[in-house]
Amino acid sequence: MNTGTEDQAPPAGAAVRDTVCTVRGLIRTYPAGSGTRRPGLRRRGPAAVPAAGPAAVRASDGIDLDVARGELFGILGPNGAGKTTLVRQLTGLLRPDAGSIDVLGHDLVRHPDRAARLIGYLGQESTALDELTVSLAAETTGRLRGLDAAAARAARDAVLDELELAPIASRPIKRLSGGQRRLACFAATLVGERPVLVLDEPTTGMDPVARRAVWAALGRRRAENGTTVLLVTHNVIEAETVLDRVAVLDQGRVIACDTPAGLRALVADEVRLDLVWRADPPLDLPEIAALKPLADISGRRWTLRLPHDRARSTVAALTSGPGYAALDDFTLATPSLEDVYLALGGRAKGLVKA
Amino acid sequence: MTTQIRVPGRESRPAAPPPAPAPLAPRARMGSAFAAVYRAQLSRARVARIPLLFVATFQSVGIMVMMRGVVEAGDGEAARAVVAGSSVLVVAFVALNLLAQYFGQLRASGGLDHYATLPVPPAAVVLGAAGAYASFTVPGTLLTALVGCVLFHLTLTTLWVLAVVIPLAGAALSGLGAALGLLAPRQEIATLFGQLGMSAALLLGVLPASHLPAPVGWVRDLLPSTYGVEAFARTLGGSAGTDWAAVAGDLSVCAAVGVASLAVATWAYRRAACR
């Protein structure tokens, strides 16, 4: 797999490891129809599980990954792609059926307990912290990460100041808004430094200010300590703007892994044309009717992925012909990671553009 | 101390052996992890548990008021059983029922992941939570015992024995609650177990043992809360008339059940936290 980092200067120091996390052939299967619904496993659509027969769900289906030191590495995929299952194996919460996970020279399949001493993890759920105040959640987490009382308090104060949570430090997390709650849990993840951070959808529900605080805090730790960050997202805009590299996950497999620009180059010969109709599209016009089979239709919005020249001629025909009156809006855009995902054969929908 | 062996002709190829594994961060020590979990759990009471603690106490005081209608005041087996049973019921409500529900909910919602991804001894998580829930019961149990002794004209001089009864009955019942909450396959079943355990403590605890049919008495003997009730009831006639050896025997049963159930709960936590 192309790691995309060959041209980066190695960090100073002879024995510094370049690859922080190496995953090979990771397989994890959930028995289908087992009544126990695992947290983090969302069932796939009916296509993945045949109606008859106890088909197992392969949530990780031979995953290989290499994450370099100091990287901000993303795992992108729609709901049910197996992102959470993957990070739960990286953090020692779930045992793989097969495959290897090496983090900083430690075999985490054989020693899952070491994950807690190498990795700071932010899961999707905050129920363990919900009824604590922001301050106590951060301090307790620090103490449970092995800090003594004074160090935990100092680290708590530093992180709460850094994320501008000090004004709400004495409020119970439960009574905060969704975005603030997420930020408070992120703060707890940062108390007690770890060389690797694994964050499962860290910015869900956050406003732009909180998101910026998260990216700034991660940036500081990467610059100062060489912290490596693995994060799960289904938000393509976020993936394109902040990540160094992205592994695109679909049905438990990595279907592509590269920088966002490298991934977009895979579909560079296409553009995306979005058409929004005022009412029903005028299918009596032959040029409109000809587009319909190509369109991904969502309500009154048609999304078309077309070669450049075809897109140009389509726009020209639409804007000069009678169909223009029926259009509410149209946009022509360079491809996003969502287009990459679909072009690579990604089958599920559900990537978020926000 | 390692010795670097230089292979002739290899100097130009610094494709070195893999670097040594990175140092691991220290684990949290048992004592400090227990203290941190205990403190965090105790603070939850302020946010979420006050109404439930009020309900627990109100229920027990209500039962005593009700029973006062049929049980004579003054030192007697029935009066002692009502007061001791109602007091220990507060412990059963909080330590068994609420803790089973809490762990059931934590497990179902994935909240255990938080602890499982921190380098904490599992026993610290279980003991910290169990200890906090047992501590929640202190004000309610004391209030119930006080009201009960006044209502049934029993002596207040031996209430100090609650200082031993609450921790030991608390250990037994919270260990049981934690184990049930962590072992139950679903959250609703954890809730069900917790409720049933509390109902059993209520129905079998507040009536004198001699008034119960034999098979019910056997079930009563199987219930750990019974031994807390018995120990407390024995002292309610004043210290002169108390068989202290029997009290110690009852409390030893509580302690043994506490140790065993907390060990099972710790095992169940490990099992639930990493699959």
Side-chain angles (χ1 to χ4, degrees):
Chain A
M1 184 173 293
N2 172 21
T3 62
T5 53
E6 288 85 354
D7 52 352
Q8 284 181 7
V16 174
R17 149 190 321 274
D18 289 331
T19 305
V20 161
C21 172
T22 309
V23 175
R24 289 288 175 270
L26 205 64
I27 292 177
R28 169 75 199 201
T29 306
Y30 292 109
S34 69
T36 52
R37 226 185 109 127
R38 302 301 193 202
L41 172 73
R42 303 187 192 98
R43 293 249 183 264
R44 297 210 198 102
V49 185
V57 179
R58 269 207 171 186
S60 297
D61 193 1
I63 291 178
D64 293 343
L65 286 179
D66 293 277
V67 183
R69 183 171 190 273
E71 233 182 342
L72 183 44
F73 187 94
I75 297 161
L76 175 74
N79 289 342
K83 307 183 297 290
T84 294
T85 300
L86 172 60
V87 295
R88 287 173 62 80
Q89 292 173 92
L90 294 178
T91 50
L93 289 169
L94 201 61
R95 276 180 185 273
D97 299 331
S100 68
I101 301 168
D102 181 290
V103 173
L104 289 161
H106 297 275
D107 178 349
L108 293 190
V109 177
R110 189 175 295 170
H111 306 288
D113 54 308
R114 291 188 189 171
R117 301 166 71 187
L118 294 164
I119 296 172
Y121 173 62
L122 173 65
Q124 287 188 15
E125 292 299 333
S126 62
T127 37
L129 299 177
D130 266 353
E131 286 157 343
L132 307 183
T133 63
V134 174
S135 160
L136 189 58
E139 185 187 337
T140 304
T141 308
R143 298 236 43 200
L144 298 182
R145 267 201 193 100
L147 300 182
D148 65 38
R153 277 196 296 272
R156 169 202 71 190
D157 292 342
V159 169
L160 294 189
D161 282 344
E162 182 182 5
L163 297 174
E164 295 178 2
L165 286 169
I168 55 166
S170 59
R171 290 178 56 190
I173 290 180
K174 206 177 180 173
R175 304 207 180 131
L176 301 176
S177 72
Q180 282 179 322
R181 192 181 309 173
R182 201 76 190 128
L183 193 60
C185 293
F186 175 70
T189 309
L190 295 184
V191 178
E193 292 278 342
R194 289 287 186 266
V196 181
L197 294 174
V198 174
L199 313 171
D200 198 344
E201 302 189 2
T203 56
T204 306
M206 285 187 190
D207 63 23
V209 178
R211 280 170 197 251
R212 273 199 294 277
V214 168
W215 302 127
L218 293 177
R220 267 190 292 277
R221 277 156 188 79
R222 292 170 65 207
E224 288 165 15
N225 310 335
T227 305
T228 306
V229 184
L230 256 94
L231 75 91
V232 165
T233 179
H234 59 236
N235 183 325
V236 289
I237 301 296
E238 194 164 273
E240 284 175 23
T241 48
V242 303
L243 299 178
D244 295 331
R245 278 196 311 139
V246 190
V248 184
L249 219 60
D250 182 54
Q251 309 214 349
R253 284 173 295 113
V254 176
I255 56 174
C257 181
D258 203 343
T259 60
L263 287 174
R264 276 204 307 270
L266 294 173
V267 288
D269 54 342
E270 284 191 347
V271 285
R272 193 180 69 237
L273 175 61
D274 279 304
L275 305 173
V276 184
W277 303 104
R278 287 181 195 282
D280 289 335
L283 291 173
D284 48 324
L285 300 172
E287 68 266 28
I288 308 290
L291 290 176
K292 193 180 178 190
L294 306 173
D296 180 7
I297 299 170
S298 159
R300 291 184 294 118
R301 176 183 290 272
W302 286 14
T303 300
L304 298 135
R305 292 173 177 83
L306 301 170
H308 288 206
D309 48 351
R310 174 89 197 265
R312 259 195 299 274
S313 61
T314 303
V315 171
L318 274 173
T319 49
S320 58
Y324 187 63
L327 266 182
D328 190 25
D329 188 17
F330 73 95
T331 48
L332 200 56
T334 52
S336 71
L337 288 184
E338 187 191 25
D339 302 297
V340 175
Y341 170 76
L342 293 169
L344 289 166
R347 275 156 283 184
K349 291 180 183 173
L351 290 172
V352 171
K353 290 172 283 182
Chain B
M1 185 86 189
T2 56
T3 314
Q4 197 78 31
I5 299 171
R6 289 194 155 249
V7 180
R10 284 272 180 99
E11 285 85 346
S12 59
R13 277 185 61 198
L24 295 165
R27 290 178 203 278
R29 283 200 308 278
M30 179 66 201
S32 57
F34 167 78
V37 173
Y38 178 81
R39 181 175 164 224
Q41 290 291 345
L42 213 54
S43 88
R44 291 177 54 235
R46 281 204 294 274
V47 177
R49 293 286 166 270
I50 294 288
L52 287 169
L53 299 182
F54 176 77
V55 170
T57 313
F58 187 77
Q59 170 183 272
S60 284
V61 172
I63 287 167
M64 290 190 304
V65 170
M66 197 174 69
M67 295 299 281
R68 183 66 184 80
V70 289
V71 172
E72 288 276 315
D75 188 18
E77 191 201 6
R80 288 185 189 197
V82 170
V83 175
S86 302
S87 304
V88 175
L89 179 60
V90 179
V91 184
F93 186 102
V94 178
L96 198 163
N97 181 23
L98 294 187
L99 189 59
Q101 290 187 34
Y102 174 68
F103 270 125
Q105 178 227 345
L106 207 57
R107 182 172 169 220
S109 66
L112 284 181
D113 290 1
H114 176 75
Y115 293 112
T117 52
L118 297 169
V120 203
V125 178
V126 172
L127 289 176
Y133 273 73
S135 305
F136 293 161
T137 69
V138 171
T141 310
L142 280 178
L143 186 69
T144 306
L146 271 172
V147 172
C149 287
V150 171
L151 208 56
F152 286 88
H153 306 171
L154 296 169
T155 177
L156 294 166
T157 54
T158 49
L159 282 191
W160 60 265
V161 82
L162 284 175
V164 195
V165 170
I166 294 174
L168 292 177
L173 293 171
S174 63
L176 207 62
L180 291 175
L182 289 165
L183 287 171
R186 287 209 315 273
Q187 185 182 355
E188 307 82 73
I189 296 184
T191 304
L192 184 76
F193 281 159
Q195 297 277 8
L196 284 178
M198 186 195 65
S199 301
L202 192 165
L203 298 172
L204 303 175
V206 296
L207 296 179
S210 62
H211 294 200
L212 297 172
V216 180
W218 300 332
V219 177
R220 183 179 185 271
D221 290 346
L222 285 176
L223 208 66
S225 62
T226 300
Y227 299 90
V229 174
E230 292 276 319
F232 184 35
R234 285 179 204 279
T235 66
L236 283 172
S239 67
T242 298
D243 178 357
W244 289 104
V247 172
D250 286 331
L251 290 176
S252 311
V253 175
C254 285
V257 172
V259 169
S261 61
L262 287 167
V264 171
T266 301
W267 171 81
Y269 166 84
R270 269 181 208 277
R271 181 175 157 273
C274 183
R275 293 176 287 252

